[in-house]
Amino acid sequence: MSKGKKKQRSGHHVKYDPAEQKQNFFRKIESICSAVGGPGVYELIPRKSLERMYKLRVLPMKVVEAPNEEIPDDILRRMRHLLTELLKKERVPLVKAGIETSLPEFISCGDTLRFYLVELKDSAYPKAAEVKKAMEPYALFEEGSNEAFRKILEAFDAAELACNDLSSHLYWLERKVNFRPYGTRGIESLVLVHKHVPEKIHVVFDETSRPAIRVSWASEAYQGAVAMFVRPAQLGFPDNGEDERINVYIQMHALERLRERLDCIPTGLIDAHLCGSFVEPSIHHEKNGTVLIEYKIGEIKAGYLVSEIKDNALVIRTFLFVTNGGTPEGRRLQEICGLGRLDREFLAIDKLSTFMATDLRSDKEVERLFLEAGCECLIQLHDAAAGFNMKEGMPSAMEKMRKYFGLDSKHDFMMPDLLDKFSQRFEEETG
């Protein structure tokens, strides 16, 4: 290859021939007309009308930087790729009868045709009234547009989850639709990428300054970034009737522990559920003054955010998986079978991935042990988190647990009668 000759790019970088692009548009319009109105309807539309429809068409969505933003090239490329892949997998109904088309085709060709039909007058050309009548089920079918809008927002949400990282930057998407009178005319559909940098502070614990970051999330659903807070009454402080809020921060160390112990979940999803845990927080006050806030994946508890008030802010010091020492469930596990920190680390029961690979329901004896300790959430998480488990294929730890717990031994220190005694004592203590 000569030095002056550039290598042709492949994939989506290849530009379509304008004439071919136009013909593809007409073919898709014809396909929709035939599917909805029947054979021959497309031929009733004059060529002049089709040309105008193409000239004023809804252009494919384009992912760009929002004004006055500087978005890294790798983030823009990733957003574009994700949205392209997510949208092309989706189907949208054209009419109630169940006729469907792809979401990208619906956005460009489908919306263009609908706008044309809504504005079409019976006197526009000889067969205009016939075209309107045949295509009426499509022109008036608002459910299709609503479904398309919902799926676009779902794709935005997925792309934001994939790119967001609370420790550095949060991104959110905004769709702008407007008429473009220059260049390639038509209805421009832009996806603007916005950036939010979470507030960072330093807090002093034990005479040591430690970095912390404001617990925040950015999303199209919020039209920007939101920061989490708690009410004083939730922390046991007097409520003076005013709209007081206590800002929430998380130490970088605690954020690392979250990702280390919820090791099979994407980073963005971990951060999103961190924020979600403060929408309606479940707060526990320990006897030593420690505040435990339940970290939830959806509605299911996965552990606790160990928190402390510092300089009028709630600071998350660390994250404890539900089986860790220092949690109510971890203490019960230790009472039942004497599990300490090293035992938990050896069995890797301080990480979510172990319980994604190990279905506790497959062994009633082991299941009962964890249920007696109050860890039924581990069974619920096994099902709820299956859709975004990044460590599928890990071997089950059930056999290792059975051997370590002594369930395969004649001198089993966790015989059913021992569990029964613990259960009875726990019920007496909790009333």
Side-chain angles (χ1 to χ4, degrees), residues 62-95:
K62 184 179 180 182
V63 179
V64 297
E65 291 178 324
N68 303 316
E69 296 279 20
E70 292 185 6
I71 309 298
D73 289 341
D74 63 319
I75 293 296
L76 284 175
R77 285 194 299 268
R78 193 176 183 192
M79 286 285 189
R80 288 167 184 152
H81 174 73
L82 285 168
L83 287 178
T84 298
E85 293 301 309
L86 289 166
L87 294 178
K88 75 180 183 181
K89 292 178 182 178
E90 297 292 344
R91 307 286 294 177
V92 180
L94 297 173
V95 290

Side-chain angles (χ1 to χ4, degrees), residues 115 118 160 231 235-236 274 296 303 323 331 347:
F115 296 152
V118 169
E160 290 162 352
R231 303 286 184 187
L235 300 176
L274 169 63
K296 296 180 180 179
T323 58
R331 289 193 288 266
L347 293 171

Side-chain angles (χ1 to χ4, degrees), residues 82-359:
L82 285 168
L83 287 178
T84 298
E85 293 301 309
L86 289 166
L87 294 178
K88 75 180 183 181
K89 292 178 182 178
E90 297 292 344
R91 307 286 294 177
V92 180
L94 297 173
V95 290
K96 290 182 180 179
I99 303 170
E100 295 182 334
T101 188
S102 70
L103 182 52
E105 186 174 307
F106 185 92
I107 294 171
S108 56
C109 304
D111 275 344
T112 299
L113 179 58
R114 178 173 281 103
F115 296 152
Y116 167 78
L117 292 169
V118 169
E119 298 296 326
L120 180 62
K121 292 180 170 48
D122 291 350
S123 59
Y125 50 85
K127 298 289 186 178
E130 191 174 336
V131 171
K132 285 184 66 176
K133 182 66 176 176
M135 297 299 294
E136 189 175 56
Y138 174 67
L140 301 180
F141 185 61
E142 294 183 0
E143 289 88 340
S145 294
N146 294 338
E147 182 73 1
F149 183 70
R150 183 182 66 81
K151 289 185 174 181
I152 289 171
L153 295 186
E154 287 180 352
F156 282 9
D157 187 48
E160 290 162 352
L161 283 171
C163 296
N164 280 358
D165 185 339
L166 180 61
S167 65
S168 56
H169 297 93
L170 301 174
Y171 301 96
W172 64 279
L173 303 177
E174 178 188 15
R175 190 182 181 199
K176 286 287 187 182
V177 179
N178 54 273
F179 181 73
R180 185 167 69 177
Y182 56 89
T184 303
R185 295 174 63 189
I187 299 176
E188 191 173 52
S189 184
L190 297 179
V191 179
L192 306 179
V193 184
H194 296 262
K195 179 177 68 176
H196 172 73
V197 180
E199 176 194 356
K200 294 182 179 179
I201 62 171
H202 278 77
V203 290
V204 178
F205 288 105
D206 304 323
E207 299 182 352
T208 302
S209 179
R210 306 174 191 275
I213 194 163
R214 185 78 179 271
V215 175
S216 315
W217 189 249
S219 172
E220 187 280 336
Y222 300 135
Q223 287 294 295
V226 293
M228 300 299 113
F229 62 87
V230 292
R231 303 286 184 187
Q234 293 173 314
L235 300 176
F237 299 140
D239 185 355
N240 60 10
E242 298 181 4
D243 186 26
E244 284 191 276
R245 302 182 179 189
I246 298 176
N247 296 335
V248 180
Y249 295 82
I250 183 169
Q251 286 187 195
M252 296 303 293
H253 159 83
L255 201 55
E256 292 169 5
R257 288 294 173 269
L258 254 176
R259 295 168 183 180
E260 174 188 302
R261 290 165 177 167
L262 303 179
D263 58 333
C264 57
I265 300 180
T267 297
L269 204 56
I270 291 175
D271 296 347
H273 285 303
L274 169 63
C275 295
S277 298
F278 285 92
V279 174
E280 293 183 3
S282 298
I283 299 176
H284 306 265
H285 297 274
E286 297 282 272
K287 292 179 180 179
N288 62 1
T290 302
V291 178
L292 298 182
I293 300 172
E294 292 185 10
Y295 176 96
K296 296 180 180 179
I297 297 177
E299 297 298 321
I300 305 171
K301 177 172 58 180
Y304 297 90
L305 303 163
V306 182
S307 309
E308 188 174 326
I309 292 292
K310 186 72 174 179
D311 298 330
N312 297 318
L314 182 71
V315 181
I316 301 169
R317 300 291 308 278
T318 192
F319 168 72
L320 298 177
F321 189 59
V322 68
T323 58
N324 280 130
T327 71
E329 295 84 355
R331 289 193 288 266
R332 293 176 212 161
L333 271 176
Q334 187 167 13
E335 288 189 58
I336 292 173
C337 53
L339 287 183
R341 180 176 63 84
L342 295 179
D343 301 303
R344 287 189 292 268
E345 290 180 2
F346 174 75
L347 293 171
I349 62 172
D350 56 349
K351 295 183 178 181
L352 178 59
S353 58
T354 299
F355 295 97
M356 295 303 298
T358 309
D359 189 349

